[in-house]
């Protein structure tokens, strides 16, 4: 009986170790939307507080500076609770700023491996 | 296989490379200066073109033995205006019998007719002598790598460009380790992120790397170019990767500076980018592609796997200046999943159904385990196939530009007989390694256009170069073709 219980216990451990990752319990960390802004003239890296505050105000959402790209364009993250439509609206509002050459989503791409 | 110094006793030199002091860019050699060099060596020289580093390529009046050419080089080098002079040696592909790899018979994409790429003919070919140590550097911008025994010795120091810690899954942002910690996604994580689904670790970058560069060592599989060196650049992790990280990583791979990252001393000649995302080509992607192609780096990208959807809807395949690759089957037909469209430059084996692509992987479902081999399919792997062949092209003609490489690949491709490809939606055809190397050997670059038409790598250039090829003689009938 003890041997049987041991075998069952070991089997359970083994199954757990080989389980599909879908069963793994991890705390989810939402990836916030990110956007890339190329300004017409160089902007401080990181931007000054008042500049960043005005940018957020114009965007209608809190933008957090992430880093600059090699081109000088800047990446900002947006509040992760925004839905897609709200994020698109942020992009549209930023395009209205005269100092923005372009603004676009820092889109995610996937490996082109067939699922 | 490629690139080791090995001269044929009967090899002949047809051209010389002469670099003048203080020369750079595309300055042409003046007639006066050419005559000075002719006086030094006592031989008539014809200016062919200026190389990317400012050196001049000069044609000899007739092919001559290596020793005789070395004497001319020595004479030219005595001129104080000359920084260096050397024969423009042909590259040599040694006869490495990769067909002895135990799992080679499963690698139909290398040899099958009509769906394979005619690799054995290249492996067993002699195309002249080489003076270039080391193999062509291919940047695999992907999920990183596991140090698989098939290629670990030829991995160059890479970089992890993933700036987001969740995506990176290695506890930090950017760092100097391109090792792949795994990209598994749990159900909890998949729920929390759009466009992300539950998966085991893919070891995608390791798979791509093995296809391109697995060793000729009589174990495991054969790589397309067993001398290629791999620059691993990590941009994909959990739920894919950001285009901002990819853009920076491309510049780094091409030897261009990226703020906050040490410079890359091992500039790649090819960037393999087996990724796709729905949307227009972003400014960010296009700017990076423009910068690296201007730096002489060929960018090869996947068409995407959205069941014959128009590739124009997927980036980076819809960006200008890339070589976008669709996927074909063992029968040489279009796969059921590949995207298509007029932006496709070429097709290559990507596997479908029971006939998938075999390459290197890892046993780990989440964190890394040990080396193994698995089968996958997708335009990712058609892309790797083209990158491997492009590395063979550049091993025999390292001076070719990205536009030249594109032209050589396209003009040497096998036609696709599949109605699904009607309307020029599968590119120029299926990549053929033997024909591509043959075409590279006789390729004559077209003269630069009088005015820039922008975009780079367009079809007009292909036509010009095809005419140049034809004027140089039939590719398949040239004496310079691969000698088997």
């Amino acid at each position: 009986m003890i041997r049987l219980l041991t075998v069952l216990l070991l089997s359970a451990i083994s199954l757990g170790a080989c389980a599909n990752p879908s069963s793994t319990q991890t705390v989810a960390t939402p990836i916030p939307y990110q956007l890339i802004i190329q300004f017409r003239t160089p902007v401080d890296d990181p931007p000054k507080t008042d500049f960043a505050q005005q940018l957020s105000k114009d965007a209608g959402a809190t933008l957090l500076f992430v880093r600059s790209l090699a081109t000088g364009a800047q990446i900002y993250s947006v509040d992760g609770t925004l839905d897609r439509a709200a994020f698109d609206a942020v992009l549209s509002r930023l395009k209205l700023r005269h100092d923005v050459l372009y603004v676009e989503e820092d889109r995610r791409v996937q490996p082109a491996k067939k699922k | 296989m490629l690139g080791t110094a090995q001269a044929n006793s009967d090899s002949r030199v047809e051209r010389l490379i002469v670099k003048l002091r203080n020369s750079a860019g595309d300055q042409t050699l003046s007639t006066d200066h050419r005559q000075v060099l002719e006086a030094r060596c006592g031989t008539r020289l014809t200016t062919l073109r200026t190389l990317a580093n400012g050196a001049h390529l000069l044609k000899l009046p007739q092919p001559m033995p290596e020793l005789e050419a070395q004497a001319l080089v020595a004479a030219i080098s005595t001129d104080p205006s000359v920084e260096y002079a050397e024969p423009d040696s042909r590259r040599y592909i040694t006869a490495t019998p990769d067909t002895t790899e135990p799992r080679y018979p499963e690698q139909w994409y290398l040899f099958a007719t009509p769906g394979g790429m005619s690799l054995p003919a290249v492996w067993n070919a002699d195309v002249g002598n080489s003076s270039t140590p080391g193999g062509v550097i291919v940047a695999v911008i992907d999920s990183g790598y596991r140090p698989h025994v098939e290629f670990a010795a030829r991995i160059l120091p890479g970089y992890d460009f993933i700036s987001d810690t969740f995506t990176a899954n290695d506890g930090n942002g950017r760092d100097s380790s391109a090792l792949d910690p795994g990209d598994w996604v749990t159900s909890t994580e998949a729920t929390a992120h759009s466009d992300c689904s539950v998966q085991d670790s893919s070891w995608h970058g390791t798979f791509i790397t093995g296809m391109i560069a697995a060793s000729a060592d009589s174990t495991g599989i054969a790589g397309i170019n067993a001398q290629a060196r791999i620059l691993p650049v990590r941009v994909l992790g959990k739920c894919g990767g950001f285009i901002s990280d990819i853009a920076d990583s491309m510049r780094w791979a091409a030897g261009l500076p990226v703020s906050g990252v040490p410079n890359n001393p091992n500039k790649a000649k090819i960037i393999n980018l087996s990724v796709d995302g729905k949307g227009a080509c972003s400014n960010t992607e296009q700017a990076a592609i423009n910068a690296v192609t201007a730096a002489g780096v060929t960018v090869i990208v996947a068409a995407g796997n959205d069941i014959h959807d128009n590739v124009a809807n997927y980036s980076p395949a819809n960006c200008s200046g890339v070589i976008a690759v669709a996927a074909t089957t063992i029968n040489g037909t279009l796969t059921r999943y590949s995207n298509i469209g007029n932006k496709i430059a070429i097709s290559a084996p990507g596997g479908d159904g029971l006939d998938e692509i075999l390459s290197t992987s890892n046993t780990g479902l989440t964190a890394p385990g040990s080396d193994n081999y698995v089968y996958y399919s997708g335009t990712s792997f058609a892309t790797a196939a083209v990158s491997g062949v492009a590395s063979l092209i550049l091993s025999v003609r390292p001076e070719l530009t990205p536009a030249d490489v594109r032209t050589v690949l396209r003009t040497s491709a096998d036609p696709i007989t599949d109605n699904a490809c009607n309307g020029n939606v599968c590119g120029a055809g299926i990549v053929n390694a033997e024909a591509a190397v043959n075409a590279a050997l006789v390729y004559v670059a077209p003269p630069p256009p009088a005015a820039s038409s922008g975009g780079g790598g367009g079809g007009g250039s292909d036509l010009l170069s095809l005419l140049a090829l034809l004027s140089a003689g039939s590719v398949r009938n040239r004496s310079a073709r691969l000698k088997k």
Side-chain angles (χ1 to χ4, degrees):
Chain A
M1 185 63 182
I2 291 174
R3 174 174 289 183
L4 177 61
L5 283 173
T6 305
V7 168
L8 287 173
L9 182 60
L10 286 173
S11 300
I13 292 170
S14 173
L15 280 171
C18 297
N20 186 289
S22 62
S23 65
T24 310
Q25 290 303 307
T26 328
V27 177
T29 312
I31 305 173
Y33 281 115
Q34 288 191 167
L35 50 82
I36 302 169
I37 308 176
Q38 179 75 61
F39 294 99
R40 293 185 190 278
T41 53
V43 170
D44 291 337
D45 178 2
K48 290 189 168 63
T49 304
D50 55 346
F51 180 90
Q53 286 174 342
Q54 185 61 47
L55 195 66
S56 293
K57 186 177 174 186
D58 292 344
T62 303
L63 303 184
L64 301 173
F65 175 75
V66 177
R67 63 187 172 83
S68 294
L69 284 171
T71 54
Q74 296 192 331
I75 304 171
Y76 292 83
S77 65
V78 191
D79 182 349
T81 61
L82 287 185
D83 62 19
R84 180 74 226 185
F87 178 70
D88 287 342
V90 167
L91 293 175
S92 297
R93 282 192 289 269
L94 287 171
K95 284 176 184 170
L96 298 176
R97 280 179 59 117
H98 295 303
D99 62 345
V100 171
L101 180 62
Y102 64 79
V103 56
E104 59 196 7
E105 181 184 0
D106 187 7
R107 203 173 56 239
R108 295 182 77 85
V109 296
Q110 305 291 334
K113 166 181 169 291
K114 193 165 165 283
K115 304 291 183 193
Chain B
M1 183 173 65
L2 305 176
T4 49
Q6 191 168 347
N8 276 347
S9 57
D10 62 347
S11 67
R12 299 250 162 181
V13 175
E14 300 170 33
R15 309 185 297 191
L16 304 179
I17 298 170
V18 179
K19 176 79 162 63
L20 302 179
R21 297 185 195 282
N22 304 320
S23 67
D26 57 356
Q27 294 172 331
T28 53
L29 183 66
S30 70
T31 303
D32 287 350
H33 213 136
R34 193 195 73 236
Q35 288 171 344
V36 167
L37 299 179
E38 286 176 336
R40 286 276 175 187
C41 67
T43 301
R44 186 166 53 84
L45 302 170
T46 306
T47 302
L48 291 177
R49 66 175 180 274
T50 305
L51 305 183
N53 69 346
H56 301 290
L57 188 61
L58 303 171
K59 191 174 189 304
L60 295 168
Q62 66 276 322
M64 59 180 60
E66 180 88 22
L67 280 177
E68 196 174 326
Q70 290 290 1
L72 293 186
V73 161
I76 290 172
S77 299
T78 61
D79 192 283
S81 69
V82 172
E83 183 178 327
Y84 64 81
E86 59 194 7
D88 184 20
S89 303
R90 287 197 180 280
R91 300 299 183 259
Y92 190 78
I93 302 183
T94 58
T96 303
D98 272 11
T99 53
T100 63
E101 304 287 326
R103 299 196 68 174
Y104 172 79
E106 298 170 70
Q107 294 180 273
W108 60 267
Y109 56 96
L110 300 176
F111 60 82
T113 302
M117 298 188 290
S118 299
L119 258 306
V122 178
W123 294 333
N124 293 302
D126 162 7
V127 293
N129 61 303
S130 167
S131 59
T132 305
V136 172
I137 298 176
V138 182
V140 176
I141 297 184
D142 210 284
S143 65
Y145 74 101
R146 296 310 309 165
H148 200 290
V149 69
E150 287 276 15
F151 52 70
R154 278 172 292 109
I155 293 284
L156 294 165
Y159 208 83
D160 176 2
F161 272 85
I162 303 177
S163 48
D164 166 70
T165 53
F166 165 75
T167 306
N169 196 31
D170 60 359
N172 56 31
R174 292 183 170 180
D175 62 74
S176 61
S177 172
L179 282 169
D180 187 348
D183 59 358
W184 77 95
V185 177
T186 68
S187 59
T188 311
E189 291 165 338
T191 303
H193 303 102
S194 59
D195 302 327
C196 188
S197 52
V198 173
Q199 67 169 44
D200 293 329
S201 288
S202 67
W203 314 114
H204 191 261
T206 298
F207 192 98
I208 297 284
T209 299
M211 278 187 73
I212 296 170
S215 295
D217 55 2
S218 298
T219 60
I221 62 167
I224 294 168
N225 181 351
Q227 289 293 316
R229 289 178 291 166
I230 299 295
L231 183 69
V233 188
R234 187 165 180 256
V235 296
L236 301 175
K238 286 178 181 281
C239 307
F242 285 107
I243 59 171
S244 57
D245 287 335
I246 291 174
D248 273 356
S249 75
M250 292 176 72
R251 292 172 187 275
W252 183 84
L256 302 173
V258 175
S259 176
V261 178
N263 286 343
N264 165 33
N266 300 300
K267 176 186 170 183
K269 294 287 289 182
I270 297 163
I271 286 176
N272 184 98
L273 201 46
S274 290
V275 304
D276 78 303
K278 191 152 192 176
C281 177
S282 64
N283 292 287
T284 303
E285 291 167 293
Q286 191 62 65
I289 290 162
N290 292 349
V292 303
T293 51
V297 181
T298 300
V299 182
I300 302 173
V301 306
N305 309 321
D306 302 277
I307 315 176
H308 298 193
D309 200 356
N310 191 336
V311 68
N313 300 323
Y314 298 86
S315 80
N318 55 7
C319 298
S320 296
V322 301
I323 294 175
V325 185
T328 48
T329 70
I330 191 172
N331 297 316
T333 56
L334 185 68
T335 59
R336 292 169 291 183
Y337 56 80
S338 180
N339 288 341
I340 55 177
N342 293 330
K343 283 187 173 289
I344 300 291
I346 197 165
S347 293
D352 201 359
L354 296 176
D355 297 304
E356 294 192 298
I357 304 291
L358 176 68
S359 188
T360 46
S361 189
N362 189 278
T363 59
L365 297 178
T366 54
S370 52
D371 289 354
N372 73 347
Y373 301 86
V374 299
Y375 287 94
Y376 282 158
S377 58
T379 51
S380 279
F381 315 117
T383 306
V386 173
S387 291
V389 174
S391 76
L392 293 170
I393 290 170
L394 288 169
S395 71
V396 297
R397 291 289 302 275
E399 81 280 14
L400 294 186
T401 66
D404 294 334
V405 171
R406 175 191 173 95
T407 299
V408 168
L409 285 166
R410 284 170 54 85
T411 53
S412 60
D414 289 332
I416 301 178
T417 50
D418 185 336
N419 289 338
C421 290
N422 289 349
N424 192 31
V425 294
C426 300
I430 302 173
V431 67
N432 180 319
E434 179 188 17
V437 173
N438 272 324
L441 286 169
V442 298
Y443 178 78
V444 179
S452 172
S453 56
S461 170
D462 288 355
L463 180 59
L464 277 174
S465 302
L466 179 59
L467 291 171
L469 275 175
L470 291 172
S471 68
S474 164
V475 171
R476 293 193 180 275
N477 293 326
R478 289 274 295 181
S479 59
R481 65 173 293 191
L482 299 173
K483 293 179 282 184
K484 296 183 199 169

